[in-house]
Amino acid sequence: MKIIAKFEQFHLQARQNIWIGYFAIFCRIALAAGFLPSGFVKINGERFTALANNHPMGHYLDALFYTGYYYPFIGVMQMLAAILLLIPRTATLGALIYFPIILNITVLSLAVRFDGSLFTSPLMLTAVIFLLGWDYHKLKYLLPLKQNNTEILLPLQSKNNKFPFVFFGSVFIYMISFVLFITNIYSIMPRNTLAECARQCDKTKHPEACISFCECIHKKGNSLQECLKTYKKDGL
């Protein structure tokens, strides 16, 4: 397929650029730094955050904390993925382990509108996807694609020292667009505390309904979906 051929050519050019290579190293270190502390907390048997149980994420984390050995198991996998990412030879395996974990955290964060990882988890997910693309020459043989048996795993060619302005410009534009998108995707959020939740009410069209929503979350401990329904009903 022409699309695959073009992607493979782009991949080869990217692998030859030292600046994109440095960016891949940065992503590996940053991702490892994100999982090592959280994984250690779980292995140590400590609750991950001090978030109130009434909060939608608090419900989840409290239940997760009391799942027995499953809770430290997640921590072990997080630390394993982080350590493997730091070792060049095992970085691909680390990214493969990292991907489903951060994907779950991203979906969870978006589902409950959790401030703590609403921005970071999608960006971490994007970084992992980049690393998987960076190692496409290894992972391609796991995909149901027609392979050329005579193709070298990654042809050895001279390194390119030219700074990739287009690549890093695209990364910058993506991050700005992402921040704007996340900032405006939700009309109301539970925030982490009742006081923080109430601060946003002055900016909403229906302040009283917003206050009721915050109390529904932080005082009554109802589900996010139930409180959103009440908020929309009161806002009519």
Side-chain angles (χ1 to χ4, degrees):
M1 295 177 64
K2 293 183 178 180
I3 297 178
I4 296 177
K6 290 182 178 180
F7 175 79
E8 290 187 347
Q9 183 62 30
F10 172 77
H11 170 260
L12 176 58
Q13 293 174 354
R15 291 286 307 195
Q16 293 169 352
N17 189 282
I18 61 171
W19 295 102
I20 300 180
Y22 292 151
F23 181 72
I25 294 174
F26 167 78
C27 288
R28 286 165 46 203
I29 295 174
L31 290 171
F35 264 13
L36 285 174
S38 59
F40 178 78
V41 168
K42 294 181 179 67
I43 294 175
N44 204 35
E46 301 175 9
R47 199 173 187 273
F48 185 61
T49 69
L51 204 62
N53 293 344
N54 283 350
H55 191 281
M57 180 61 89
H59 285 307
Y60 173 83
L61 293 178
D62 193 50
L64 185 64
F65 181 69
Y66 291 106
T67 54
Y69 55 81
Y70 178 66
Y71 184 69
F73 168 75
I74 296 175
V76 170
M77 296 307 296
Q78 284 183 303
M79 294 197 70
L80 176 62
I83 294 172
L84 291 175
L85 275 176
L86 293 175
I87 304 173
R89 183 169 293 185
T90 60
T92 306
L93 179 59
L96 287 172
I97 298 175
Y98 206 106
F99 176 74
I101 300 175
I102 194 60
L103 176 62
N104 177 70
I105 295 174
T106 299
V107 175
L108 174 63
S109 301
L110 294 173
V112 299
R113 307 184 183 187
F114 177 49
D115 283 349
S117 53
L118 193 62
F119 287 93
T120 56
S121 58
L123 289 176
M124 293 168 72
L125 176 62
T126 305
V128 173
I129 294 174
F130 165 76
L131 290 180
L132 292 174
W134 179 253
D135 287 334
Y136 166 77
H137 60 288
K138 300 177 183 178
L139 301 175
K140 63 182 292 186
Y141 298 100
L142 301 177
L143 302 175
L145 302 175
K146 184 178 180 181
Q147 308 295 342
N148 184 357
N149 295 329
T150 61
E151 184 179 14
I152 301 176
L153 187 63
L154 191 65
L156 297 176
Q157 296 185 17
S158 59
K159 291 291 184 178
N160 180 9
N161 297 327
K162 185 178 179 181
F163 188 81
F165 288 99
V166 175
F167 173 80
F168 285 103
S170 300
V171 171
F172 178 76
I173 293 174
Y174 168 78
M175 294 185 66
I176 295 299
S177 302
F178 168 78
V179 171
L180 292 175
F181 173 74
I182 291 295
T183 304
N184 296 281
I185 190 175
Y186 301 121
S187 59
I188 191 170
M189 295 177 61
R191 303 302 181 185
N192 292 340
T193 64
L194 177 60
E196 292 177 359
C197 182
R199 290 194 194 102
Q200 68 183 328
C201 294
D202 293 336
K203 301 178 181 179
T204 62
K205 296 180 179 179
H206 309 285
E208 294 182 358
C210 176
I211 293 295
S212 298
F213 166 82
C214 294
E215 293 178 347
C216 179
I217 291 288
H218 294 280
K219 287 188 176 181
K220 300 178 182 179
N222 294 329
S223 68
L224 176 62
Q225 290 71 25
E226 181 179 351
C227 295
L228 284 173
K229 289 181 180 179
T230 303
Y231 170 72
K232 293 178 181 178
K233 182 178 179 182
D234 294 342
L236 295 177

